[in-house]
Amino acid sequence: MDASYSYYDYTKSIERIDNILNSSDSSYDKHTGIPSKDSLTYNNGFYVDVTVLFIDIRGSKELSSKHTRPVLAKIYRAYISEVITVMKGNTCINEIYIEGDGLWAVFNTTTKDDVNSVFATAFTIASLIDILNVKLSKKKYSTLEVGIGIDDGESLYIKAGYKGSGIQEVVWIGKVVGQTVVLCSYGNKTIHDREIMVSAKVYSDLSEHNKSLLVENISHNCYHGNVIRKDMNEWVEKNK
């Protein structure tokens, strides 16, 4: 978010803190599906069941040591722009966030079919990374290895920021976001860990076909797999 200078008055901070902390607990209701941002105020929020996907690059520090900054910029721009494009290709997409070389997205999933669509987004991203690696190899650049995590659960949806300043963000609070980050950190962590990690909750919502693409990871109490999209993999095989 953009920000500009404004004078700080601690007495105004005290007023704002009191206003927030004294707001009614009953202003936080359960909601089926993600409500409009217009329905959010600085005094309310909604408990919503969502699916969260997180992707992160393994060994990013080593990547930084091998290339000049202009090359790194090109690698990261290609990676970030196309992962975002895949995420936006899911009709359930609601929010996308960039955190360093990690990206995460919140999906408005109200049915099992919606959860399956997020799994499809995950393996499409996996295949995209394979395509990008073909391009990087031909440029003699380092290839990327990523971990992808998916979890589903209830999250508190609120608006946070500085009232009246125009500086505000939608914030997701709850275990599901943190657990997705943890699952992502397991992806490709060791030779025994596969690229995509999904929680038991997500696995239970998958179709029988999609379940067959994953196996249980006992060490991390989840399910994992190296799943690719057939048409994209055909391109990889022809062009690598």
Side-chain angles (χ1 to χ4, degrees):
M1 66 182 75
D2 292 330
S4 58
Y5 169 79
S6 61
Y7 175 74
Y8 175 69
D9 181 349
Y10 79 92
T11 63
K12 297 297 183 183
S13 279
I14 294 171
E15 291 177 14
R16 286 190 294 269
I17 290 169
D18 285 341
N19 183 55
I20 293 169
L21 297 183
N22 292 330
S23 63
S24 172
D25 291 349
S26 63
S27 299
Y28 301 88
D29 301 319
K30 286 193 175 183
H31 197 280
T32 301
I34 300 173
S36 166
K37 288 182 182 179
D38 295 337
S39 63
L40 290 174
T41 71
Y42 285 104
N43 296 309
N44 74 348
F46 299 93
Y47 289 100
V48 190
D49 188 81
V50 295
T51 304
V52 181
L53 184 155
F54 201 104
I55 175 173
D56 200 13
I57 295 176
R58 300 282 87 92
S60 55
K61 289 182 180 179
E62 290 80 2
L63 188 67
S64 299
S65 67
K66 292 179 181 178
H67 299 290
T68 63
R69 281 174 287 183
V71 169
L72 278 175
K74 288 190 285 185
I75 293 172
Y76 279 106
R77 280 175 176 159
Y79 157 71
I80 291 171
S81 71
E82 297 316 300
V83 169
I84 288 174
T85 301
V86 175
M87 290 174 169
K88 284 171 61 67
N90 187 310
T91 57
C92 297
I93 191 66
N94 183 262
E95 295 280 344
I96 298 174
Y97 301 88
I98 302 171
E99 296 185 5
D101 54 35
L103 293 93
W104 63 283
V106 179
F107 296 86
N108 189 11
T109 49
T110 59
T111 68
K112 289 185 177 181
D113 284 345
D114 292 340
V115 176
N116 277 271
S117 77
V118 178
F119 180 66
T121 294
F123 66 70
T124 299
I125 290 173
S127 291
L128 166 69
I129 298 301
D130 291 341
I131 289 174
L132 176 57
N133 281 339
V134 171
K135 297 290 187 178
L136 294 176
S137 292
K138 290 184 177 181
K139 287 283 190 180
K140 307 300 182 184
Y141 298 160
S142 297
T143 56
L144 303 182
E145 185 176 60
V146 302
I148 301 172
I150 315 173
D151 197 10
D152 181 277
E154 188 176 77
S155 183
L156 178 58
Y157 177 61
I158 66 170
K159 179 166 70 174
Y162 175 12
K163 189 175 182 179
S165 69
I167 298 176
Q168 60 187 40
E169 289 286 346
V170 168
V171 179
W172 295 93
I173 302 170
K175 183 179 178 182
V176 63
V177 177
Q179 184 59 28
T180 306
V181 176
V182 172
L183 287 167
C184 173
S185 73
Y186 296 150
N188 274 328
K189 184 176 183 179
T190 72
I191 59 172
H192 304 294
D193 299 313
R194 301 181 185 180
E195 188 173 34
I196 299 174
M197 299 275 174
V198 310
S199 68
K201 172 63 169 64
V202 170
Y203 182 82
S204 70
D205 286 340
L206 295 180
S207 67
E208 291 305 314
H209 171 72
N210 283 339
K211 285 180 179 178
S212 72
L213 303 175
L214 303 171
V215 296
E216 188 173 9
N217 186 312
I218 298 173
S219 298
H220 302 308
N221 193 29
C222 64
Y223 293 83
H224 66 160
N226 294 323
V227 188
I228 53 175
R229 215 175 91 172
K230 185 177 179 180
D231 57 340
M232 296 174 75
N233 187 61
E234 288 174 354
W235 185 95
V236 170
E237 293 300 321
K238 289 177 182 178
N239 291 276
K240 66 182 181 181

